[in-house]
Amino acid sequence: MQLNQFARLTKSQSEQITELQRIHLLPTDFAQLSFQKLAQTIFQRLFPEARSQSTRIRQLGLLQATTELNLTTYLESINTSFDQVVFYNVALQLLGFEVITDFALDQPIAFMAATKLPFIDQATFDQPTFIQALYLLLTTRSQNGLLYLDQLANRGFFANWQGVQPQFLIFNGKVQPVFDTSHLIREVVYVESSLDTDQDGQRDLLETTIFRPRATEAGLKIPALYTASPYYKGINDVDADLHNVDTTIATKPVQQPDLADLTQAPNTAPIPQQRTVKSTSMTTELNATDDSNYSLNDYFLARGFANVYAGGIGTRGSDGVRTCGSPEETASTTAIIEWLAGNRRAFTNRTDGIEIKAWWCNHQIAMTGKSYLGTLATAAATTGVEGLKTIVAEAAISSWYDYYRENGLVVAPVNCQGEDADVLAKLCQTRQKDAADYALSGAFFADQLKALQEGQDRITGNYNAFWAARNYRDNIANLNCDVILVHGLNDWNVKLQNAGALWDLLRDQPVNKKLFLHQGEHIYMNNIQSIDFTDMMNLWFTHQLLGVDNQALTTLPAVMIQDNAQEATWTTQADWLAPVNPTTTFWLNEQTLRVNATENAPLATFKDDGVAIFRAQKISEAAWQDALIADQSSFTGNRLRFLSAPLTKPFIIDGRIQFRTRVAVNAERGLLSVLVIDYGQFNRLGTAPAVLAAKGQQLGYQWHCDDLKEFKLNRPSNYQVITKGHINLQNRHNSYQTEAVTPNEFYDITLDLQPTHYDLTAGHQLGLLIYATDMGMTIREEQAFVYQVDLAASQLIVPHLND
């Protein structure tokens, strides 16, 4: 176990005293108290649940100070100093660790060092050092991943804290959970957009759900954490709408359009007039019955930040139709921000023209969320909308082409074969859950689906105007808010190119940006035990949305990456995918990767006839990939495999591995797929975090809980996929221009694989697989094309950190 911590601030002695007195832990007259009396008073205050002196003393007596003395007895013996070992014996117990099970009473410091818990390296503590150690303890992470002060808050330390004039409480640069979550304002408003996507002659109203502390009723202005979630009102069953992937990859006509010409015609339909405001109100008419559904937002709700959820156009309770990543979806997302910032109208109901403002909001907004939710945050950020101060975009799409397509191929997200933009739109068009609303809008939406199907073009897989309109990276110049990107290094749903290509552009943008890369798949990371992500976001939001000068911009590392070779290990870097990273070129020969070019490397062939075997065996896509990678299987003839010599030292890959080759196919069409693999038996880190404690993280006093999780080492395995890539041979120069393929003619191909960061340990081998059809991602055409690869013209170029 390692409890890595990056958001703790170092404060001066005077600042520590001020903050400890601010939270009523350090008595105002502490200088007049004896050291013994001070220590007894403070330790008793660490049990807010105890309502009597006798009970508090009893609680102290349950803590073992030495092998012979409990804390109550030890405190009776001290005079002017406190033993370091005793202090940390007690501190570890307060943090949730157990004597004997976790640490020995004579060696707490050794355990703390191994666990990366901070401590004061001094044999005895006088009064100033004791206060310093107390402050450090409050800002130290506990076994459940929360700070010790958070644990105290969860036990009632800040209960009834707010007075007649509520306010935020800042400790160690972060806002504290002093707001009563048992009496929240739960309300619904209808934001009026500048859209009419269902063409009913009225501007689309967007149902918006708000959770805010009751303290706002007393005049407190608070920030808003806004999550644009098309899933918030549920989803539809679309299994019957998935596209057939057992079909032919088209032979495409030669087309050479200019990239600049790939633009959609602007919508020239007039925007309906705004609704007439007949009256105003400060109270809503509909109580929210849905709940908050993101634990990071819940964490901040207890700290005084409003939670705002809106599904956007086409979702239940709103007008309009889903259009999967279009400019209209972006506009429906930013409309909510504009209302929160005081620049747009909202109404208390859909019919009476009663306007309501976000009068409780301080006009400082952040966006949060994963996947589609983080995608819409990215889309909003690239508009430069006023009021949006920062986004935390997790596993977010930055270009929808990079989600559903790749280099001229229809490529599905993992475990989503047959899905496409039209299917996702139908999944989220939840207006149909209200039968009367569906009667009004269903036929129109069905017509819009046809336009989506035509635009997405599953025939050619080419980049076109439809996808260009859904490429948020093209609007990067508009971005003026600070950005936090979070992505899984094993996420094959939203592939890493979405984060990598955006990070490349952010590098030169005059905004603050941070990047977190974990070892997970398509997951959130706010409840991982080994990293204080939630605490870092507290530091970030306290600065961004409350204007506190807490050094968040410099304290948080630019890039933080979880290591794949060992548990609970996080490293920091100045950059990711840095153009200055060195590269090593591996040359292909017969089944080998060599660092030196070899003469007279042969041609190698493989047959792409695995689809029939895949269907006959009725195996999963994951099982097929295992078989493809294995030494021998039914699919061995469908790939070429090359292995390096065992590495003599660690090799840290960082960037986009590039594969260059010369290839021919005995047909007028073809594709190439590439896997780069870590070979070597090893206890590898799992890509799905294990639950350490169900509901083990409490997010506030008598408030919601989240599971505590951690990435754990699995049983030994023989390999792990590092990265992969796919390309249509007709798109050998780019994704929007197609060229002819003449059977058995060789063509030069350069394929940039998905960006990555990977610690390839000593003794392991770097592996390369070349194949064609990918059962989990590409179209599965049943044919028996034969591919030839000129190994003499083939190289794998690997960027890395170490020389």
Side-chain angles (χ1 to χ4, degrees):
M1 178 194 301
Q2 291 185 13
L3 296 173
N4 300 281
Q5 193 166 352
F6 296 91
R8 183 179 54 248
L9 303 180
T10 300
K11 296 285 187 175
S12 68
Q13 180 84 23
S14 61
E15 289 173 321
Q16 291 178 15
I17 290 171
T18 298
E19 293 189 11
L20 288 169
Q21 290 180 329
R22 182 186 300 153
I23 65 171
H24 304 166
L25 185 58
L26 183 66
T28 56
D29 62 345
F30 76 94
Q32 283 73 51
L33 299 178
S34 69
F35 185 55
Q36 182 188 63
K37 180 61 176 177
L38 176 63
Q40 289 173 331
T41 299
I42 286 176
F43 276 114
Q44 288 181 27
R45 290 182 179 182
L46 297 182
F47 294 91
E49 64 274 20
R51 298 200 299 270
S52 70
Q53 179 80 353
S54 297
T55 305
R56 286 189 286 271
I57 293 173
R58 168 61 180 164
Q59 295 300 108
L60 296 186
L62 295 175
L63 299 170
Q64 196 69 14
T66 70
T67 54
E68 295 83 18
L69 302 176
N70 64 35
L71 181 56
T72 299
T73 307
Y74 177 81
L75 289 172
E76 292 171 352
S77 70
I78 67 172
N79 187 8
T80 59
S81 65
F82 206 108
D83 184 81
Q84 180 208 41
V85 171
V86 172
F87 183 89
Y88 285 116
N89 281 338
V90 172
L92 286 172
Q93 293 169 73
L94 292 173
L95 291 170
F97 298 100
E98 297 181 6
V99 178
I100 300 177
T101 302
D102 295 315
F103 71 99
L105 284 171
D106 61 342
Q107 294 184 334
I109 302 303
F111 174 80
M112 296 183 77
T115 314
K116 290 195 172 182
L117 294 174
F119 58 89
I120 294 177
D121 192 9
Q122 189 170 313
T124 59
F125 297 169
D126 58 11
Q127 187 190 76
T129 308
F130 176 79
I131 292 173
Q132 181 184 357
L134 173 68
Y135 186 91
L136 186 61
L137 172 61
L138 293 174
T139 60
T140 296
R141 302 187 71 215
S142 60
Q143 190 175 40
N144 66 3
L146 297 176
L147 300 184
Y148 181 55
L149 184 55
D150 289 338
Q151 283 194 323
L152 289 177
N154 291 340
R155 289 161 40 208
F157 189 81
F158 294 124
N160 305 313
W161 182 267
Q162 296 288 25
V164 177
Q165 294 181 326
Q167 59 185 336
F168 292 97
L169 175 65
I170 308 298
F171 189 89
N172 197 238
K174 295 171 281 288
V175 66
Q176 300 303 309
V178 299
F179 293 89
D180 184 2
T181 52
S182 62
H183 296 93
L184 295 171
I185 307 296
R186 305 164 61 93
E187 58 191 356
V188 174
V189 302
Y190 297 89
V191 174
E192 185 182 54
S193 72
S194 298
L195 304 164
D196 181 18
T197 57
D198 51 15
Q199 297 182 20
D200 65 353
Q202 296 187 83
R203 293 190 177 206
D204 294 339
L205 290 176
L206 308 171
E207 186 174 283
T208 304
T209 300
I210 302 146
F211 306 96
R212 55 183 172 91
R214 193 168 292 276
T216 52
E217 298 290 294
L220 182 68
K221 302 292 186 182
I222 64 174
L225 298 187
Y226 163 40
T227 300
S229 174
Y231 311 132
Y232 186 61
K233 293 291 185 175
I235 57 175
N236 299 317
D237 183 358
V238 294
D239 286 350
D241 300 289
L242 295 174
H243 295 274
N244 177 26
V245 298
D246 297 324
T247 186
T248 301
I249 294 177
T251 301
K252 299 184 278 192
V254 174
Q255 294 179 328
Q256 300 291 313
D258 290 329
L259 183 60
D261 294 335
L262 301 182
T263 58
Q264 285 190 328
N267 186 353
T268 58
I271 300 173
Q273 293 294 315
Q274 292 181 321
R275 289 166 173 79
T276 301
V277 174
K278 299 178 181 177
S279 63
T280 61
S281 176
M282 293 182 65
T283 59
T284 59
E285 301 177 26
L286 182 64
N287 291 331
T289 56
D290 297 290
D291 211 346
S292 174
N293 61 5
Y294 180 22
S295 60
L296 182 67
N297 291 356
D298 289 337
Y299 169 90
F300 281 101
L301 188 53
R303 287 155 175 79
F305 292 20
N307 288 186
V308 179
Y309 291 89
I313 47 175
T315 59
R316 192 174 192 181
S318 297
D319 297 329
V321 294
R322 294 309 292 175
T323 49
C324 193
S326 71
E328 289 77 16
E329 283 195 358
T330 301
S332 82
T333 301
T334 57
I336 312 302
I337 299 171
E338 291 167 340
W339 175 69
L340 291 167
N343 300 321
R344 183 170 287 278
R345 290 176 174 175
F347 296 94
T348 61
N349 64 46
R350 300 179 60 87
T351 57
D352 295 342
I354 305 171
E355 184 182 2
I356 186 168
K357 297 183 182 297
W359 52 266
W360 44 265
C361 186
N362 69 355
H363 299 169
Q364 309 297 300
I365 301 109
M367 290 191 72
T368 62
K370 172 179 72 75
S371 196
Y372 207 159
L373 291 60
T375 299
L376 291 172
T378 302
T382 56
T383 68
V385 59
E386 182 181 345
L388 183 61
K389 300 303 178 182
T390 187
I391 64 170
V392 180
E394 304 191 48
I397 297 166
S398 61
S399 168
W400 284 88
Y401 186 86
D402 290 339
Y403 186 63
Y404 285 126
R405 303 289 184 271
E406 185 178 1
N407 296 315
L409 290 171
V410 174
V411 174
V414 70
N415 299 323
C416 296
Q417 274 284 32
E419 188 187 302
D420 216 322
D422 62 326
V423 178
L424 185 57
K426 190 166 184 179
L427 181 85
C428 299
Q429 181 71 18
T430 47
R431 288 182 67 179
Q432 72 181 53
K433 291 184 177 296
D434 294 311
D437 196 10
Y438 181 65
L440 294 173
S441 62
F444 180 82
F445 177 64
D447 289 338
Q448 295 305 297
L449 275 180
K450 296 175 183 176
L452 280 177
Q453 290 161 357
E454 180 180 354
Q456 69 192 13
D457 180 17
R458 287 184 65 87
I459 303 300
T460 72
N462 282 1
Y463 188 80
N464 58 19
F466 176 91
W467 297 113
R470 291 160 171 80
N471 185 350
Y472 309 128
R473 301 195 296 262
D474 285 347
N475 303 317
I476 194 69
N478 299 325
L479 187 143
N480 56 23
C481 70
D482 291 344
V483 175
I484 287 181
L485 297 183
V486 181
H487 219 101
L489 287 161
N490 291 286
D491 189 346
W492 293 104
N493 183 304
V494 178
K495 295 180 285 294
L496 270 161
Q497 174 65 1
N498 283 281
L502 183 57
W503 184 253
D504 283 338
L505 296 173
L506 286 172
R507 188 178 290 115
D508 297 324
Q509 284 296 114
V511 298
N512 297 294
K513 53 269 187 183
K514 309 290 181 182
L515 174 68
F516 296 83
L517 297 174
H518 57 77
Q519 288 297 325
E521 300 165 339
H522 197 59
I523 63 167
Y524 284 114
M525 67 167 284
N526 56 289
N527 56 354
I528 303 300
Q529 182 191 50
S530 62
I531 187 71
D532 59 332
F533 180 75
T534 298
D535 204 35
M536 286 189 280
M537 294 306 96
N538 191 336
L539 195 72
W540 185 259
F541 287 150
T542 299
H543 169 70
Q544 296 280 352
L545 305 182
L546 292 178
V548 175
D549 183 11
N550 60 7
Q551 296 84 53
L553 302 181
T554 54
T555 298
L556 300 187
V559 177
M560 185 171 296
I561 302 178
Q562 184 183 16
D563 189 76
N564 58 277
Q566 51 193 332
E567 283 186 8
T569 303
W570 297 78
T571 59
T572 61
Q573 296 181 185
D575 199 0
W576 176 52
L577 314 180
V580 297
N581 283 350
T583 61
T584 294
T585 298
F586 293 87
W587 300 80
L588 279 61
N589 207 319
E590 296 183 28
Q591 301 181 20
T592 62
L593 293 174
R594 303 181 182 181
V595 293
N596 297 313
T598 54
E599 296 181 0
N600 303 317
L603 295 178
T605 64
F606 67 91
K607 183 180 289 187
D608 188 31
D609 63 353
V611 172
I613 304 171
F614 173 74
R615 291 177 186 164
Q617 293 184 356
K618 297 181 180 179
I619 59 176
S620 68
E621 295 155 5
W624 163 82
Q625 181 172 275
D626 285 337
L628 185 74
I629 294 172
D631 291 341
Q632 293 294 328
S633 75
S634 303
F635 302 96
T636 302
N638 298 143
R639 46 83 163 164
L640 301 175
R641 188 174 76 163
F642 306 87
L643 296 177
S644 73
L647 301 178
T648 58
K649 62 180 181 179
F651 187 62
I652 301 177
I653 300 168
D654 188 285
R656 294 177 180 85
I657 296 176
Q658 187 179 83
F659 178 56
R660 298 178 183 174
T661 191
R662 186 174 296 136
V663 64
V665 62
N666 64 342
E668 294 182 340
R669 62 184 185 275
L671 70 154
L672 207 62
S673 297
V674 170
L675 276 173
V676 175
I677 300 164
D678 166 12
Y679 280 101
Q681 192 173 65
F682 194 62
N683 292 91
R684 291 179 169 84
L685 208 63
T687 59
V691 176
L692 301 182
K695 305 301 180 184
Q697 280 192 338
Q698 190 174 335
L699 305 176
Y701 180 54
Q702 298 179 350
W703 185 225
H704 294 171
C705 294
D706 197 8
D707 294 339
L708 178 67
K709 296 183 177 182
E710 187 55 83
F711 295 94
K712 307 297 289 184
L713 293 176
N714 288 334
R715 294 177 179 177
S717 60
N718 293 322
Y719 80 89
Q720 181 170 341
V721 171
I722 299 174
T723 187
K724 64 179 73 173
H726 311 83
I727 190 170
N728 191 317
L729 297 185
Q730 288 197 257
N731 293 82
R732 49 190 176 267
H733 290 115
N734 56 58
S735 61
Y736 56 92
Q737 294 177 325
T738 55
E739 300 169 89
V741 169
T742 300
N744 298 315
E745 183 173 326
F746 280 85
Y747 297 100
D748 291 326
I749 299 292
T750 298
L751 174 60
D752 286 335
L753 308 185
Q754 293 292 324
T756 192
H757 179 101
Y758 193 88
D759 184 357
L760 192 63
T761 57
H764 288 209
Q765 293 174 280
L766 185 68
L768 169 67
L769 261 63
I770 305 171
Y771 59 109
T773 300
D774 188 316
M775 305 303 168
M777 290 189 171
T778 67
I779 296 296
R780 300 192 291 238
E781 178 179 356
E782 188 169 341
Q783 36 82 358
F785 293 170
V786 176
Y787 290 81
Q788 299 179 77
V789 178
D790 183 354
L791 300 186
S794 301
Q795 307 99 42
L796 192 69
I797 302 170
V798 184
H800 52 89
L801 297 183
N802 47 336
D803 295 330

